[in-house]
Amino acid sequence: MERHVKDSPSEGQSPVTDPGHPVKCSPVVIDDVSLNGPTLNVLAAEEFIHQSMDIIIEDAVKKASDVREKVCEWHSPEQLKELLDLELRDGGESDSKILQRCKDTIRYSVKTTHPRFFNQLYAGMEPYSMVASFIAEALKPSLYTYEVAPVFTLMEDAVLRKMMKLIGWEEGGEGIFNAGGSMSNMYAVNLARYNHCPDIKELGLSAAPRLVMFTSQECHYSIAKAAALLGIGTKNVYVVPSDNRGKMIPSALEDKIKMAKSEGAAPFMVNATAGTTVLGAFDPIEEIADICEKHNLWLHVDACWGGAALMSKKHRHLLKGIHRADSVAWNPHKMLMACLQCSAFLVRDKTSLLQRCHSNRASYLFQQDKFYDISYDTGDKSLQCSRKPDAFKFWLMWKALGTSQLEQRVDRALAMARYLAQEIKKRKGFRLLMEPEYANVCFWYIPPSLRNLPDGPELYQKLHTVAPVVKERMMKTGSMMVGYQPHGDKANFFRMIIISPQVSRQDMDFVLDEIHNLGKDL
């Protein structure tokens, strides 16, 4: 007979799984609830977890990362609702039914660890980081105080220090892991504003002039969202033109700053991007830093995507000048493959600016008379209260691989991107948007029916419809996933993101062959 996790011991008896309550005792009932012994059958719970882990290993690890399996099993939302039976009812289901729910969840999910998943800025299976995720979920820690998360607090501190060293902040700084790169960019905007106008924390927007920030037209959309959320206003985000490679033009930044000042506004921050989402472009940080110093502006570098290049002696030049930034956002869950989410916000300041900006001194958490060094209670620096030990996922992986293998991971991904670009240039019907600077390879596929058309509006109007159809077909066959998008006045093109060390030259060849096979009749 199946032993259900939710089964309770009979009244007056101690559960057989709890050696701490072995003696029969009189029942204690309050508000019609029996309080004798725990109600969780621990042995049954452990058995359920063992069975679940078998499914996870077989279906979510082995099959999901097997190139012979599908990347996804596509169904429309309405079909999927029927397949999953999403309704939540009064009564619970048996463990066998729940295990089937687990299998179905894995089956119908996109396998982002599959070698032919190239759709996002993350991919691939990372075993050490995955195990760290399992451990973190089993222990359920929260990183607000040292007393509840001593091990993970020290690990986060060690990882942040190492990341600062790679940035080039030899004298250190401070930082915090948080729930994603968008949140890191919002931290940056809030911190830069507080640094410029500290009274705003207590007095609100009435204490500030019209504040203006600057970012390139290729920046991540979280910058505008931060301006909206923090009351700065999206119209006070001055967009700086980029060149044809997607890099911010420093002279145009200078012009925008002068214009804002002439309007009576108060410039306070510049956001530079190291690795733009679509083109993989790197803004010229050194020149932007010169301008920020000249005008006394906070320089934030959004290196969520491109920060991994700091691990590589061959490619760290892409971020030349990043040591001059006041703050940096860097997501190890992208190129370095830590399990989601793993996002760091780092600050060069050493005067506890992060603490002063966000502290609210909750007395039930951050007592000043604790018996240990309360400088390790990091929670008051954070906008969150509960916070996962995301740094552990990076720490364990870094421990296992060492800096040298992480460097090789970056170098190989960028070399693979160069190989794909070379193959695109050789193949009839494929056209590069531009030579890749990072791991973003952007290109058009031109079906045979369009190849005799001259470059011009008619070609690009028809070409605009090709990528969406090819994407639909690849999703429905489950053969691979590659993203597409328009960009400015350019017709829809494919954007390949190459990350995983599981990927081989043969996979690159397969992608081009498959796109042709899926789109040659268009």
Side-chain angles (χ1 to χ4, degrees):
M1 180 179 179
E2 184 180 49
R3 305 182 70 180
H4 201 279
V5 174
K6 293 176 279 291
D7 288 341
S8 301
S10 59
E11 187 58 59
Q13 289 186 327
S14 301
V16 296
T17 56
D18 189 350
H21 301 81
V23 182
K24 290 185 178 181
C25 53
S26 300
V28 175
V29 178
I30 295 179
D31 295 337
D32 297 323
V33 177
S34 172
L35 303 181
N36 279 51
T39 58
L40 177 72
N41 186 327
V42 178
L43 285 179
E46 290 175 356
E47 178 59 25
F48 173 75
I49 292 169
H50 276 298
Q51 292 178 31
S52 301
M53 288 304 297
D54 289 342
I55 292 171
I56 291 167
I57 295 299
E58 184 61 31
D59 294 358
V61 177
K62 287 184 181 178
K63 287 184 180 177
S65 58
D66 187 341
V67 74
R68 296 166 298 183
E69 299 284 341
K70 288 185 175 184
V71 177
C72 64
E73 188 174 324
W74 174 258
H75 294 279
S76 71
E78 292 308 314
Q79 291 171 329
L80 201 53
K81 287 176 187 177
E82 291 297 319
L83 288 166
L84 296 176
D85 182 18
L86 298 169
E87 185 182 348
L88 300 172
R89 301 176 178 87
D90 289 343
E93 297 180 337
S94 67
D95 282 1
S96 60
K97 189 70 172 176
I98 295 300
L99 290 170
Q100 185 59 47
R101 300 285 189 207
C102 293
K103 290 178 72 71
D104 290 344
T105 298
I106 297 167
R107 175 181 175 180
Y108 298 120
S109 291
V110 173
K111 312 306 187 294
T112 65
T113 58
H114 194 283
R116 290 176 181 164
F117 177 83
F118 306 105
N119 206 72
Q120 312 297 147
L121 301 184
Y122 61 88
M125 185 189 70
E126 214 313 304
Y128 302 108
S129 190
M130 185 186 296
V131 168
S133 298
F134 293 162
I135 292 170
E137 294 302 327
L139 292 175
K140 292 174 67 173
S142 181
L143 261 69
Y144 29 61
T145 62
Y146 178 83
E147 65 184 279
V148 296
V151 174
F152 297 118
T153 296
L154 297 180
M155 285 175 173
E156 180 177 72
D157 182 65
V159 172
L160 289 167
R161 288 176 187 275
K162 188 71 172 181
M163 293 175 81
M164 289 173 201
K165 196 169 182 181
L166 287 168
I167 290 169
W169 296 340
E170 295 297 335
E171 297 180 8
E174 62 177 336
I176 199 161
F177 275 75
N178 62 80
S182 292
M183 186 63 73
S184 292
N185 288 337
M186 291 179 189
Y187 267 101
V189 176
N190 198 42
L191 199 60
R193 182 177 66 172
Y194 175 80
N195 183 64
H196 182 85
C197 187
D199 288 344
I200 203 167
K201 180 177 178 180
E202 295 183 350
L203 302 179
L205 297 176
S206 63
R210 182 167 77 90
L211 296 170
V212 170
M213 53 193 287
F214 307 87
T215 191
S216 86
Q217 65 189 54
E218 300 290 332
C219 77
H220 192 262
Y221 63 85
S222 59
I223 300 300
K225 281 196 170 188
L229 178 68
L230 296 170
I232 293 166
T234 56
K235 288 189 176 180
N236 290 317
V237 180
Y238 283 27
V239 177
V240 181
S242 301
D243 63 19
N244 58 7
R245 297 276 315 172
K247 301 170 182 289
M248 183 191 291
I249 302 170
S251 61
L253 171 62
E254 183 86 55
D255 291 342
K256 290 281 186 178
I257 294 169
K258 290 176 180 176
M259 182 178 77
K261 287 182 174 180
S262 71
E263 296 168 349
F268 75 102
M269 173 187 174
V270 174
N271 172 69
T273 309
T276 59
T277 305
V278 177
L279 302 179
F282 288 74
D283 288 342
I285 300 171
E286 197 84 79
E287 295 171 68
I288 294 169
D290 289 340
I291 294 169
C292 288
E293 284 186 10
K294 176 181 174 183
H295 294 279
N296 194 28
L297 302 178
W298 183 282
L299 173 58
H300 173 64
V301 177
D302 174 0
C304 289
W305 173 222
L310 291 169
M311 308 293 295
S312 167
K313 292 184 283 290
K314 187 182 297 182
H315 298 292
R316 63 175 295 118
H317 67 87
L318 293 169
L319 298 104
K320 183 182 179 184
I322 194 171
H323 64 284
R324 299 173 64 186
D326 295 291
S327 59
V328 173
W330 178 358
N331 287 1
H333 72 232
K334 295 186 185 293
M335 174 66 77
L336 295 177
M337 296 176 58
C339 287
L340 274 78
Q341 289 183 347
C342 190
S343 304
F345 175 64
L346 306 113
V347 188
R348 183 156 53 105
D349 174 85
K350 296 184 293 296
T351 66
S352 301
L353 187 66
L354 199 56
Q355 178 93 11
R356 287 184 281 121
C357 181
H358 298 131
S359 172
N360 199 35
R361 299 177 182 174
S363 59
Y364 68 93
L365 281 176
F366 308 115
Q367 301 93 335
Q368 299 302 294
D369 54 359
K370 290 183 178 181
F371 64 92
Y372 61 85
D373 182 354
I374 60 172
S375 68
Y376 287 98
D377 286 355
T378 59
D380 220 15
K381 295 192 290 188
S382 170
L383 290 172
Q384 300 165 252
C385 181
S386 298
R387 194 164 59 88
K388 288 194 163 195
D390 292 329
F392 177 47
K393 294 179 283 192
F394 192 22
W395 180 89
L396 194 66
M397 179 180 78
W398 204 334
K399 275 290 204 182
L401 299 175
T403 306
S404 61
Q405 282 196 53
L406 292 175
E407 178 178 20
Q408 291 169 22
R409 182 169 287 181
V410 174
D411 290 347
R412 189 178 187 276
L414 270 61
M416 195 68 74
R418 304 294 181 272
Y419 170 81
L420 179 61
Q422 290 170 9
E423 289 302 303
I424 287 169
K425 287 186 285 187
K426 293 177 188 175
R427 295 205 182 200
K428 193 172 183 180
F430 287 84
R431 184 183 300 179
L432 270 181
L433 191 75
M434 62 179 64
E435 288 288 340
E437 184 173 31
Y438 198 46
N440 310 45
V441 183
C442 300
F443 62 94
W444 287 284
Y445 169 67
I446 306 171
S449 67
L450 303 182
R451 289 175 192 170
N452 292 326
L453 289 177
D455 269 11
E458 183 185 0
L459 170 63
Y460 288 104
Q461 184 179 3
K462 291 181 176 180
L463 192 58
H464 191 67
T465 65
V466 171
V469 176
V470 173
K471 178 63 179 282
E472 178 185 355
R473 291 175 177 179
M474 75 172 71
M475 292 286 290
K476 288 181 175 179
T477 61
S479 59
M480 62 183 188
M481 280 184 67
V482 180
Y484 77 88
Q485 65 282 301
H487 190 264
D489 60 353
K490 293 179 172 62
N492 279 321
F493 56 86
F494 292 104
R495 182 201 65 168
M496 273 278 291
I497 301 295
I498 301 159
I499 296 173
S500 174
Q502 297 162 263
V503 173
S504 67
R505 173 186 64 80
Q506 288 83 355
D507 292 307
M508 299 296 98
D509 296 340
F510 174 84
V511 167
L512 300 182
D513 291 340
E514 183 72 352
I515 287 175
H516 175 66
N517 290 334
L518 294 170
K520 62 188 177 185
D521 64 325
L522 296 175

